[in-house]
Amino acid sequence: MGTFVQLVVDGLSAGSVYAAIALAIVLVHSATGLINFAQGGMAVLSVYIAWWLTTRGVPLIVALLVSIVFSIVFGALVERFLMRRFERGDPDTAVVVTIGLLTLITGVAGWLWTYNNQQFPSLFSLDTVSFLGVSVSQRSLGTTAVIVVVMVALQALFIGTKLGLALRAVANNPESAAFSGLPVGRLLMVGWGLAAALGAVAGALVAPQLTLTPGMLDNALVYALAAVILGGLTSPVGVVVAAWLIGVLENLAAVYVPFIGYDLKVAVPFILIFVVLLVRPQGLFGRKTVVRV
Amino acid sequence: MARAVDVPAPSLRQRPWVRRAAPLLLVVLLAVLPLVLPESTNETLARIGVFAVAVLGLNVVMGYTGQVSLGQIFFLGLGAYITGYGVQQDWNVVLVFLLACLGAALAGLVVALAAARLGGLAIAMVTIALPIVGVPLAKRLSDYTGGSQGLSARFADAPEATGLYDDQWQLYVVLVIGGIVFLLTRSLVRGKFGRAFAIVKGNEAVAASMGISPYRYKVLAFTIASLIGGVSGFLYMFVIQYTSPETMSFGHSIELVAAMVIGGAGSIVGSLLGGAYYVLVPELTNQVDSSLTALLQGVVLLAVLFVLPGGLASLVRRLGRGRRRLRAEPGPGASPTTPLSTAGSATATEEPGTERRGHA
């Protein structure tokens, strides 16, 4: 029973990281209609910034804040100077652009900081706490808590503020938004910046566990994409639930299904996708999109 | 003399005798070249052929049908593993070839049946998992794949009767099999299916209204792409004679997509150029600084997307139109022979023995 609870909590913590990246992908998709395959890569870059600052003696929390600010600026710049040109065009070309960006960022990180694993300091201690008779690690609890707080804050921003309203308007219909005087271009930059910041938080939380390498979040990106497919691109809540489901199921499968084990647990979300796709092609929570000719 | 209205540039190549003589000339050229070129060039050309076929497969699903696939390298790896296993079990080579094609096609069909159900970019989002699942899977099935150490199979020695060196024999086999695949694919994309693919790429709603099921054609295109991937896997094993889980790593998968876009999406010549890019550019960048390879790949890919969206193939086309002097049809065998004197050792390849083997 103790193992089971520990596995579930660890799964929720891993799932929270996937959820954050998946939410970033959904955020970008709803604003610009494309899937950013470089979302993980951009997060890795800002984690490297934080890591580099900590090796220069900057306190961890300051380094993290600086890296988050960096990623907001970086995300906005990427939108303005790279993606803007491809946004309303062929979505397949735009996808290849994000793949080019992923290659480029991986290349830059590998060139500046080598491909060797680097130790990234953890925000939370590795000690376990006893909770209702079972012990769970503080890091898992902390990771989950931070990401839940960030997600709630983001939801509040979208629902409760004028900026959020404007962002939703641009996502919903850029032409009408522009007609009503909203600065569409700048709002898209804000959207990309927020998405990048979300990714950066997730990256910083998971980095101590995975150790920092340029390809650190490649697997997490795959999980996030799986969560996006399962949850449906139109449903942020669905994506978060799907990401937690994936995190918990893969952890359980790794231990309780002998053939899967730790090395093949990355296949779990895709087995899940196969099953779901055969039953509900629009995702667990997504709406069926109707195309107007 | 200008044959039809849709011909953009009625030039020398529209003349009947040129049209008939050019392919013949090309075949003769390709038949002679392996005999006169040095060993290292032959080996490089054979590797270019292998990856040109892989890029061609990717082009069928991505360039012609407009479905982004990030998993093509998985089918190359699958084909290579099936080939390696079959050769180790001493199966007939023809049977091994067929199994490599069918195995990859079947895997592609299963993936496509599920992935194509979701519209838009779902194929990209699902296929990205193929290399990421494929690598640990290959390590796990170590009874068949040799685990992390990989699998080697030597079955590409030149038959005694031919009197050829091994590298010449390998290049001939790649040229023949690759040539056939290129010709068949060219017919496919220019015929009925190619038009259906183009409509699915252009507008799925229009396709559906014309009685062309986008779902079926996406599945078909993906399956054909996987089949061609299987062929390239067989050729990979034939030329490189060794495969490991690293062959189908995520990085290589991305490089293959980059090679396709840089060569030219939706272009037969572009596939050849893409194969050449995949093999030659890492060799060049490795000579400069191997830690810069990924960075340069990204820069080149983004630069091509910005400046030359049609890839290198469109550059070739533009130059040809500008000069009005196309010597031959840039058909399925226009070999981008860049005589490199560098002994190649890049992109997941193992150097076969340094001594030239064979029966000459």
Side-chain angles (χ1 to χ4, degrees):
Chain A
M1 187 61 202
T3 327
F4 182 81
V5 173
Q6 175 67 54
L7 283 173
V8 170
V9 173
D10 285 348
L12 281 177
S13 123
S16 305
V17 171
Y18 311 150
I21 295 171
L23 267 185
I25 290 171
V26 168
L27 192 61
V28 163
H29 180 267
S30 67
T32 48
L34 56 88
I35 305 283
N36 183 11
F37 282 86
Q39 201 75 62
M42 288 161 70
V44 170
L45 191 63
S46 65
V47 180
Y48 264 108
I49 302 276
W51 170 79
W52 182 78
L53 287 173
T54 55
T55 59
R56 290 283 170 282
V58 179
L60 178 60
I61 192 77
V62 179
L64 285 180
L65 288 176
V66 171
S67 77
I68 287 168
V69 171
F70 163 82
S71 64
I72 291 177
V73 174
F74 183 66
L77 290 179
V78 163
E79 197 284 328
R80 178 63 193 86
F81 293 106
L82 191 64
M83 300 314 299
R84 184 71 58 88
R85 224 182 118 143
F86 301 96
E87 264 158 19
R88 300 289 159 211
D90 182 17
D92 298 336
T93 314
V95 162
V96 180
V97 174
T98 65
I99 290 167
L101 182 63
L102 172 63
T103 316
L104 181 65
I105 291 175
T106 310
V108 168
W111 174 58
L112 287 178
W113 294 293
T114 76
Y115 288 91
N116 302 330
N117 297 35
Q118 315 282 4
Q119 285 301 329
F120 190 82
S122 177
L123 268 180
F124 306 102
S125 79
L126 282 174
D127 301 338
T128 55
V129 285
S130 276
F131 183 73
L132 295 178
V134 287
S135 56
V136 289
S137 74
Q138 281 186 24
R139 181 161 74 186
S140 291
L141 289 177
T143 304
T144 315
V146 168
I147 290 191
V148 168
V149 167
V150 170
M151 286 189 301
V152 169
L154 206 63
Q155 192 68 14
L157 172 81
F158 267 92
I159 291 176
T161 67
K162 244 185 153 176
L163 176 68
L165 186 65
L167 283 170
R168 281 188 290 146
V170 170
N172 192 282
N173 190 333
E175 282 85 12
S176 303
F179 266 131
S180 8
L182 292 175
V184 173
R186 239 170 291 158
L187 287 169
L188 288 180
M189 288 167 74
V190 171
W192 272 75
L194 284 177
L198 198 54
V201 173
L205 287 172
V206 80
Q209 204 172 342
L210 297 177
T211 70
L212 188 54
T213 59
M216 175 181 82
L217 290 179
D218 285 352
N219 273 20
L221 176 75
V222 170
Y223 286 118
L225 290 172
V228 169
I229 295 174
L230 276 178
L233 265 170
T234 46
S235 161
V237 178
V239 164
V240 173
V241 173
W244 278 334
L245 191 68
I246 287 173
V248 172
L249 276 184
E250 62 148 1
N251 254 5
L252 293 180
V255 173
Y256 294 115
V257 184
F259 176 75
I260 290 175
Y262 276 98
D263 49 339
L264 272 183
K265 66 179 188 175
V266 71
V268 169
F270 291 90
I271 298 166
L272 208 61
I273 284 178
F274 268 84
V275 176
V276 170
L277 276 187
L278 295 177
V279 190
R280 271 184 75 83
Q282 67 271 38
L284 285 179
F285 300 90
R287 265 172 287 127
K288 251 195 170 136
T289 48
V290 181
V291 183
R292 198 175 297 169
V293 182
Chain B
M1 185 170 312
R3 215 163 42 99
V5 278
D6 59 3
V7 178
S11 62
L12 189 62
R13 69 161 151 157
Q14 252 56 53
R15 294 195 190 144
W17 65 271
V18 176
R19 287 193 79 86
R20 240 168 284 147
L24 204 67
L25 194 73
L26 199 70
V27 168
V28 172
L29 196 70
L30 289 178
V32 174
L33 268 183
L35 297 176
V36 295
L37 290 172
E39 185 187 7
S40 63
T41 313
N42 274 348
E43 280 166 359
T44 307
L45 284 179
R47 282 215 309 278
I48 289 177
V50 170
F51 287 105
V53 172
V55 172
L56 180 76
L58 186 58
N59 239 326
V60 170
V61 67
M62 201 164 151
Y64 290 102
T65 320
Q67 306 302 315
V68 178
S69 165
L70 302 176
Q72 179 72 3
I73 203 84
F74 174 79
F75 300 106
L76 184 150
L78 185 61
Y81 269 121
I82 294 175
T83 308
Y85 182 75
V87 167
Q88 284 197 340
Q89 303 293 312
D90 266 332
W91 293 346
N92 183 301
V93 176
V94 179
L95 177 74
V96 168
F97 176 72
L98 291 177
L99 280 178
C101 301
L102 284 180
L106 201 66
L109 180 69
V110 171
V111 172
L113 278 176
R117 286 194 86 141
L118 279 164
L121 294 163
I123 291 192
M125 289 150 75
V126 172
T127 50
I128 195 177
L130 285 176
I132 287 194
V133 177
V135 172
L137 192 66
K139 284 180 185 161
R140 171 61 71 82
L141 300 172
S142 53
D143 290 351
Y144 304 97
T145 62
S148 323
Q149 286 169 1
L151 200 63
S152 59
R154 241 192 121 66
F155 64 112
D157 300 341
E160 202 119 9
T162 58
L164 292 167
Y165 288 114
D166 285 352
D167 56 290
Q168 295 170 337
W169 168 246
Q170 284 169 15
L171 182 53
Y172 274 126
V173 170
V174 169
L175 281 176
V176 170
I177 295 181
I180 291 172
V181 172
F182 265 85
L183 281 176
L184 288 176
T185 308
R186 183 166 165 264
S187 311
L188 178 89
V189 297
R190 291 189 176 187
K192 179 186 148 200
F193 288 106
R195 287 193 295 276
F197 290 160
I199 296 174
V200 171
K201 180 184 183 181
N203 188 328
E204 288 186 20
V206 171
S209 74
M210 291 170 75
I212 292 167
S213 156
Y215 177 67
R216 269 192 217 160
Y217 277 90
K218 280 189 218 168
V219 172
L220 181 70
F222 197 86
T223 310
I224 292 171
S226 325
L227 180 103
I228 298 176
V231 176
S232 70
F234 175 86
L235 293 176
Y236 182 92
M237 211 56 187
F238 194 80
V239 170
I240 291 153
Q241 305 178 346
Y242 167 78
T243 186
S244 70
E246 186 54 27
T247 305
M248 47 176 159
S249 73
F250 180 59
H252 288 142
S253 202
I254 298 283
E255 278 170 35
L256 207 60
V257 174
M260 192 214 74
V261 174
I262 290 164
S267 157
I268 298 281
V269 186
S271 306
L272 280 170
L273 295 173
Y277 174 87
Y278 187 93
V279 173
L280 296 180
V281 169
E283 277 184 26
L284 289 175
T285 52
N286 275 347
Q287 280 180 351
V288 182
D289 183 353
S290 60
S291 65
L292 274 173
T293 305
L295 197 158
L296 286 174
Q297 294 259 16
V299 170
V300 172
L301 179 57
L302 289 179
V304 165
L305 285 166
F306 262 90
V307 186
L308 205 67
L312 294 176
S314 69
L315 195 67
V316 172
R317 226 173 286 143
R318 216 182 293 167
L319 281 179
R321 214 175 292 153
R323 288 197 211 150
R324 294 203 151 236
R325 152 192 103 70
L326 275 178
R327 286 239 215 96
E329 170 102 8
S335 58
T337 40
T338 322
L340 263 199
S341 51
T342 53
S345 64
T347 60
T349 59
E350 281 269 298
E351 276 291 283
T354 43
E355 203 176 311
R356 199 173 201 182
R357 290 155 164 271
H359 307 283

